[in-house]
Amino acid sequence: MAITTSGNTGLQAYRASVLHFMNDPAFHEDAITWHEDGLLIVKDGKVQLAGDYVQLKNMLPGGTSVEDYRGKIILPGFIDTHVHYPQTDMIASPAPGLLPWLDTYTFPTERKFADAAHADEVASFFLDELLRCGTTTAMVYCTVHPESVEAFFKASEARNLRMVAGKVMMDRNCPEFLRDTAESGARDSEALIQKWHKRGRQLYAITPRFAPTSSDVQMQLAGELARAYPDTFLQTHVAENTDEVAWAKALYPKARSYMDVYDQFGMLRPRAMFGHCIWLNDTDRARMAETQSAVAICPTSNLFLGSGLFDFARADAQQVALSLATDVGAGTSFSMLRTMNEAYKVARMGGTFLSAMRMFYLTTLGAARSMQLEGTIGNFVAGTEADFIVLDPHATPLLARRTDRTDSLEELLFAIALLGDDRTVTATYAAGRQVYLQQKNE
Ligand code: GUN
Ligand code: ZN
């Protein structure tokens, strides 16, 4: 097979170990693709081929320069399926649980996004921080202000990132200064869909914050938008905290459960992403699986706020689509490696063993599948968008010491998952372009 070129333009090649997934390693053999001495070939922002260096090197047209990352690992960029960019400046704010945390820190912080210049500045910092951590796609909550969404998509478009974001809809049980109305929330959301959904790499998520802060009419209109624009995303919170579950029950007494509130309004569907999902029952999980709705598991946030432990065993038994997420500002790190570390421990507390392979799957192809974006991002199948990262197993003295003493690929990846963080990310590429390179301070 020859590498097609049109005058050699836009052809790039990267040599390193190459890791990606074709399936969920928890349920399928041969789910993992690993090239110890690998080559990733990128053309015009898309993956052309990934394979063994010795097999592919002769297919490169003479004169193609090969970026040498030997000793490092190339894998698809991480995908964070639930994060709040306006909460960047309040990460690590202490409060005794979700509801006081929202009142004390979150709402006053989000108020500032009525100012477009402030939103611009935070959106730029946030995206650069994601790239520093190796995250190339995220599902992002903005604030109730349409300006906050404009700022975010502008900053994402400028970096040519594949991002999903939406305007928070909330018309009750929150401060007056953060309230839309059922009608204005739907109207502003629809205008943003028409402007931004599928413009370049940008994708829109209809974003009712959570059932307690939306009226019945707003929930109804959000559900109608979700039906009118079936290839948009939908994101919200559900069953995060026992006080919140009791509140939702009191507000929607006729619903079978908190998740059933969303179901009644037609919000369970492909491309719907539900944050947390800790306090669900088996009927809720069965409905998620049937409707191809997905979970964003947020372990650093859940431990930080004391919300609870996600039940991996029940979710897997019922074949619910899973992904991992930071949930910053309640989450305590932007790093998906730190997130894996805490996901591993949460799973252990529930009696489940998460392999490193599974965690790397969940943060790449698993997330892409949860978002119905397989074939676009998440692995290195030919034609996918070339969003990838370079991880350094020697990034810190301890990580180097440990990874030099591993006996298998699983052990190597496990050490990186448990000991890694932003320092482990050497470089990040989006659509074939380098968007971050770690500066060595030697
Ligand atoms: N539930 C409703 N809003 C939020 C939020 O901003 N963060 C978290 N963790 N949970 C929420
Ligand atoms: Zn959240």
Side-chain angles (χ1 to χ4, degrees), residues 2-228:
I3 304 293
T4 55
T5 62
S6 44
N8 244 354
T9 51
L11 192 71
Q12 303 152 287
Y14 304 88
R15 183 176 183 184
S17 296
V18 174
L19 172 75
H20 65 126
F21 295 87
M22 308 303 264
N23 227 323
D24 187 341
F27 302 105
H28 299 269
E29 286 176 15
D30 301 331
I32 303 147
T33 303
W34 170 252
H35 303 284
E36 177 89 36
D37 182 10
L39 192 70
L40 177 69
I41 304 172
V42 172
K43 180 152 190 300
D44 297 335
K46 300 248 167 96
V47 171
Q48 194 162 42
L49 262 181
D52 287 328
Y53 175 76
V54 284
Q55 284 172 12
L56 299 189
K57 66 174 186 210
N58 295 328
M59 299 178 190
L60 289 174
T64 309
S65 71
V66 176
E67 182 81 46
D68 192 349
Y69 282 125
R70 269 179 289 176
K72 300 190 168 66
I73 304 171
I74 288 181
L75 64 151
F78 291 131
I79 302 170
D80 177 350
T81 58
H82 180 126
V83 61
H84 301 255
Y85 99 81
Q87 296 174 13
T88 300
D89 291 348
M90 52 162 286
I91 188 172
S93 291
L98 170 66
L99 301 178
W101 176 85
L102 285 174
D103 286 335
T104 313
Y105 294 104
T106 314
F107 293 149
T109 302
E110 293 193 3
R111 180 180 199 171
K112 298 182 190 149
F113 287 74
D115 173 3
H118 177 73
D120 285 341
E121 195 273 324
V122 178
S124 280
F125 178 88
F126 169 87
L127 286 172
D128 291 342
E129 186 65 14
L130 290 194
L131 298 174
R132 252 175 31 76
C133 291
T135 299
T136 51
T137 290
M139 289 190 66
V140 179
Y141 287 65
C142 302
T143 65
V144 76
H145 316 96
E147 297 85 345
S148 72
V149 186
E150 290 288 338
F152 180 79
F153 279 134
K154 262 194 309 167
S156 173
E157 188 171 61
R159 292 162 179 75
N160 196 21
L161 306 179
R162 176 62 80 186
M163 287 283 159
V164 182
K167 183 200 107 71
V168 162
M169 304 167 83
M170 69 177 164
D171 68 344
R172 65 165 171 170
N173 295 325
C174 62
E176 198 68 52
F177 57 76
L178 277 184
R179 237 174 249 203
D180 57 12
T181 66
E183 292 72 25
S184 75
R187 195 181 343 105
D188 289 345
S189 299
E190 185 162 30
L192 289 163
I193 290 170
Q194 287 172 353
K195 177 162 180 192
W196 287 105
H197 185 55
K198 299 198 281 192
R199 169 164 150 177
R201 305 186 79 201
Q202 312 314 312
L203 297 166
Y204 194 82
I206 298 159
T207 309
R209 181 174 212 118
F210 63 157
T213 50
S214 286
S215 64
D216 276 35
V217 184
Q218 181 158 75
M219 294 288 278
Q220 177 69 31
L221 293 178
E224 282 174 20
L225 271 181
R227 278 186 292 283

Side-chain angles (χ1 to χ4, degrees), residues 392-397 399-400 423-425 438 440:
D392 182 4
H394 290 141
T396 67
L399 187 59
R423 293 168 297 176
T424 317
V425 180
Q438 190 179 136
K440 297 265 175 251

